[in-house]
């Protein structure tokens, strides 16, 4: 049976959380994965979600997922897609699921007239880097990604 990709549904919450945990373990950051079923329901499955999920299945069984949202480029004057996470379970790698997920997302970007499709990868994840570059993706080395979270975010946000 072929690999299928479909939009995530509320009934996929436990599957999504399972993949999030597997991804966090792979990225050596299990302690950072704090998502709960309530978080998933309130963000991916609310009335007007700002993020979207995909479930990748092989022979009817979930083997991976992707979470993405629409960004905006002022320089292009177009929306883009930002891929927050893409994960395929280790036992299912090599089936082409990762490429199909990326192809599916690129198709959404084209359909929605997006000007770009972007994501981040850990600098030590050479297999992923090699895979992305084999698809024609290029690193954006001139940009440094910053993050504000936790107490620093609360402190800055309370200064209004």
């Amino acid at each position: 049976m072929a690999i299928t990709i479909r939009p995530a549904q509320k009934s996929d919450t436990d599957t999504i959380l399972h993949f999030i945990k597997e991804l966090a373990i792979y990225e050596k950051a299990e302690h950072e994965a704090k998502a709960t079923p309530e978080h998933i329901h309130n963000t991916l499955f609310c009335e007007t979600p700002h993020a979207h999920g995909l479930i990748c299945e092989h022979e009817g069984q979930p083997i991976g997922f992707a979470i993405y949202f629409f960004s905006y480029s002022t320089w292009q004057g177009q929306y883009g897609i930002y891929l927050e996470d893409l994960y395929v379970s280790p036992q299912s790698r090599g089936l082409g699921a990762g490429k199909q997920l990326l192809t599916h997302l690129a198709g959404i970007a084209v359909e929605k007239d997006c000007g770009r499709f972007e994501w981040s990868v850990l600098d030590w994840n050479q297999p992923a880097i090699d895979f992305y570059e084999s698809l024609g993706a290029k690193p954006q080395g001139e940009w440094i990604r910053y993050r504000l979270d936790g107490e620093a975010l609360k402190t800055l946000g309370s200064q209004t």
Side-chain angles (χ1 to χ4, degrees), residues 42-52:
N42 293 336
T43 55
L44 294 181
F45 306 117
C46 61
E47 189 172 319
T48 55
H50 297 286
H52 310 278

Side-chain angles (χ1 to χ4, degrees), residues 17 19-35 84-85 87 122 124 147 149:
L17 288 168
F19 287 140
I20 289 170
K21 183 176 181 176
E22 280 191 11
L23 176 60
I25 291 168
Y26 176 76
E27 292 184 351
K28 303 170 181 65
E30 185 177 4
H31 62 284
E32 294 180 36
K34 309 263 191 239
E84 178 62 25
D85 281 321
Y87 180 77
L122 291 166
W124 55 260
R147 176 178 292 164
D149 62 6

Side-chain angles (χ1 to χ4, degrees), residues 7 15-16 40-41 45 51 56 64 71 77 94 108-109 111 132 151:
T15 299
I16 291 168
I40 300 301
H41 292 168
F45 306 117
C56 182
S71 58
I108 293 170
E111 176 186 320
Y132 298 144
E151 287 304 313

Side-chain angles (χ1 to χ4, degrees), residues 4 24 41 71 73 77 86 93 98 103 107 118 131 137 146 154:
T4 58
H41 292 168
S71 58
S73 168
L86 182 148
R93 293 182 188 152
T103 300
E118 299 177 299
F131 171 62
Y146 279 83
K154 290 176 186 174

Side-chain angles (χ1 to χ4, degrees), residues 72-146:
Y72 187 77
S73 168
T74 54
W75 288 12
Q76 290 182 320
Q78 290 178 283
Y79 289 106
I81 286 184
Y82 188 85
L83 174 60
E84 178 62 25
D85 281 321
L86 182 148
Y87 180 77
V88 175
S89 290
Q91 64 273 19
S92 298
R93 293 182 188 152
L95 298 174
K99 184 175 182 180
Q100 285 195 34
L101 279 163
L102 288 170
T103 300
H104 188 90
L105 286 160
I108 293 170
V110 170
E111 176 186 320
K112 302 286 186 184
D113 193 33
C114 293
R116 55 176 66 154
F117 174 24
E118 299 177 299
W119 60 90
S120 297
V121 61
L122 291 166
D123 60 2
W124 55 260
N125 193 348
Q126 197 61 50
I129 292 168
D130 293 344
F131 171 62
Y132 298 144
E133 290 182 359
S134 78
L135 299 175
K138 296 187 178 21
Q140 301 296 297
E142 68 272 14
W143 295 93
I144 299 173
R145 185 170 149 172
Y146 279 83

Side-chain angles (χ1 to χ4, degrees), residues 6-22 34-46 53-55 57 62 64-67:
R6 61 171 176 79
Q9 303 168 1
K10 194 172 187 176
S11 60
D12 294 314
T13 298
D14 289 342
T15 299
I16 291 168
L17 288 168
H18 171 77
F19 287 140
I20 289 170
K21 183 176 181 176
E22 280 191 11
K34 309 263 191 239
T36 66
E38 292 76 25
H39 291 131
I40 300 301
H41 292 168
N42 293 336
T43 55
L44 294 181
F45 306 117
C46 61
L54 299 172
I55 299 294
E57 297 177 330
F65 84 125
I67 302 293

